[in-house]
Amino acid sequence: VEIIRVDEDITESTLIDKIEVLNEDYHTDGIIVQLPLPSHIDESKVIRISYGLPCIFKKSFTVCKLQ
């Protein structure tokens, strides 16, 4: 498992770009996005692009790559 931590002030487009790179990586078996996301990011858009249901945790904002 690789944990990719991003700052709360990450832009929505930068976060989506990071997720798209993971989606294209043959070695990535799944992506977990912790919710809630910062208020300036559309959660439904991020969930759609991450190809799955999110894992909900409320203490931190982390994107996880499962290998």
Side-chain angles (χ1 to χ4, degrees), residues 1-4 27 29-32 62-67:
V1 174
E2 177 184 350
I3 298 175
I4 302 167
H27 296 96
D29 295 322
I31 298 170
I32 298 171
T62 305
V63 178
C64 300
K65 173 184 170 184
L66 304 179
Q67 296 179 332

Side-chain angles (χ1 to χ4, degrees), residues 2-7 10 18 34 60-64:
E2 177 184 350
I3 298 175
I4 302 167
R5 297 187 189 279
V6 295
D7 293 327
I10 190 171
K18 287 181 178 292
Q34 292 183 347
S60 64
F61 175 48
T62 305
V63 178
C64 300

Side-chain angles (χ1 to χ4, degrees), residues 12 15-16 37-48:
E12 181 176 281
L15 178 59
I16 288 172
L37 296 178
S39 60
H40 64 279
I41 297 177
D42 181 350
E43 287 184 357
S44 62
K45 187 184 292 185
V46 172
I47 291 167
R48 272 195 315 272

